[in-house]
Amino acid sequence: MMQISSHSPSPRSNQTHLNSLVSLIKSTTQTTQLLQIHAYLLRTSLLQESTFSVPFLQRISLPPFQILNYSLQIFSQILRPNVTHYNTMIRAYAMSIHPERGFYVYRDMMRQGIRPNPQSSSFVTKSCIRGSSLFRGVQIHGRILRDGHHSDTLLLTTLMDFYSCSGKCDNACKVFDEMPLRDTVAWNVLVSCYIRNNRTLDALAVFDSMQSGEHGCDPDDVTCLLLLQACSNLCAVGFGERIHEYIKDHGYHRALNLCNSLVAMYSKCGQLDKAYEVFQKIANKDVVSWTAMISGFASNGRGREAINVFREMERMGIPPDEQTFTALLSGCSHSGLLDEGRSIFYRMQREFGVVPNIHHYGCVVDLMGRVGLVEDAYDLINSMRCKPDATIWRTLLGACKVHGHMELGERVIEHLIELNAQEAGDYILLLNIYSSAGNWEKVIETRKLMKEKGIQTTPSASTIELKGEIHEFRVDDTSHPRIKEVYEMMDEIEKQLKIGGYVAEITKEKEGNGLLSYSYHSEKLALAFGVVATPPGTKLRVAKDLRICIDCHNFAKMLSGVYNREVIIRDRTRFHHFREGRCSCNDFW
DNA sequence: ACGGTTATTC
């Protein structure tokens, strides 16, 4: 180690000494050495010179040190902090658990008469993102324009991300449109913005538009990662395969994160064989790879195989993490593996020292509820260390509906009311519990309550991918260009299915508004469109954002037999593979 | 200096 306290005789060697001091600051990994350097800088007044104070402040504010209190102390010892000192502090706060303090430093900087540079604005914008302060972010946007920083690509990209994270997708797009120069990162932020704000179709469209002659920007590994997420959301395997090809063509296929994402994408599109193929080819599988594969089997209703993959993972000596157990437990719940689920829940805590979190409890509650142990599930929720969220109550409410536990259902909805999180779906579930118990008074009462609370239902959507193009349908939809054919085909299909013994159930839940009227659910429309638009025998793949109802489930089952079509419907959480009039799922219906 | 892998649910 260099002697920091030595005094050099000649100015020349003194200069050498100072240079090596700077490189020592930049390279040391020991906190004790930093403390020594600090003492030296103070003693020799070198701390007042930005040559030393800037790297020093940066070093302790950024990883691996990130000692925030210490940074603040150094910062206050600098008599005339310059813009870089301020930037370092803003950045440090932006990344800390007190992101809003970044804004205070920024404001203080301006009060001291120091003009922010694009980096200052970028860091403070980041602090607004982390602290989710919409108002301040908008203020900073105005400030950026006044400072004339409206053509800084980096800054504008951060600003886009701010609007994206604040749910202001249109504003983000506006910033993007007005950017004079767009690099790949800017395009990626646009994609991420579309995904974050549920404009998944637009996200996919970016892949082509960025590569077009007009823009000529090549997607990179991050673009692929984002687009694979979009494909998963839409169940768009065709598009996913395109991305897969692109990944191979550009030599990204050795990147672990991309491979993991591919496994997840194929799994979420119901293509388990493809997922497994990619998975097996991964040379150095990490926790994420294993978890993605387990989760793939789990969500496709193949709980036993999920457990087998976990056993293999154990043999390979890869330590599972909490997400691995979430995937495993959800596998058990989807496949109704009560004993296995309990045993994993126990081993997770005892053997792997994982403290159960809300996800784990959610799975176990779902598992117990599914097999009818609703009171046990209720007790489990009450015994939790963490605060029950609306989701977990909703899970139990769903189980109450299935098993017809009206009294417990009422207790559960009380908890939802307490959390102030009641949504349309919850009341519709409760309505169903009452109506199946024949308690019409309660039905009317609940309807009234919903009206008073102004609870609105949003129609759900189904998508189907044909030749790489995504078609979206909503309940009783009339917007699709070929909707007339679709409805004609619906009538035709229903006629055919009636011959096969299909009886339409009166629709009284989920989509629509809980009214006892018969309407075409979005998945039925998507299926009918699939039958219209593809040659006989083509596999139909539909993605739906809510859970499929029993009627549509029967419909798909019959359709797969009568029309001899393989049908895959992915609902909110899982897959239903229909073939020859049967479904692979062993759920309630 | 800006973007990013795996998880419970209606």
Side-chain angles (χ1 to χ4, degrees), chain A residues 254-265:
Chain A
R254 276 163 51 196
L256 191 56
N257 55 356
L258 278 174
C259 291
N260 295 343
S261 203
L262 278 170
V263 171
M265 184 277 291

Side-chain angles (χ1 to χ4, degrees), chain A residues 368 372-380 396 405 407-408 411:
Chain A
M368 305 216 299
L373 299 171
V374 283
E375 285 293 343
D376 290 341
Y378 185 77
D379 292 341
L380 182 69
L396 186 54
H405 291 271
E407 188 269 331
L408 184 58
R411 263 188 284 158

Side-chain angles (χ1 to χ4, degrees), chain A residues 134-192:
Chain A
L134 178 62
F135 183 66
R136 281 175 187 159
V138 175
Q139 276 184 299
I140 287 157
H141 189 174
R143 178 80 220 184
I144 289 167
L145 298 180
R146 264 178 285 144
D147 287 339
H149 296 151
H150 40 56
S151 35
D152 187 297
T153 301
L154 229 121
L155 173 54
L156 294 179
T157 309
T158 314
L159 195 64
M160 273 180 73
D161 201 33
F162 160 74
Y163 281 121
S164 160
C165 295
S166 311
K168 305 273 173 204
C169 197
D170 293 341
N171 296 39
C173 293
K174 192 160 178 286
V175 174
F176 181 81
D177 289 338
E178 290 168 0
M179 270 166 91
L181 277 170
R182 306 181 188 105
D183 60 6
T184 314
V185 179
W187 285 98
N188 289 346
V189 175
L190 184 68
V191 176
S192 130

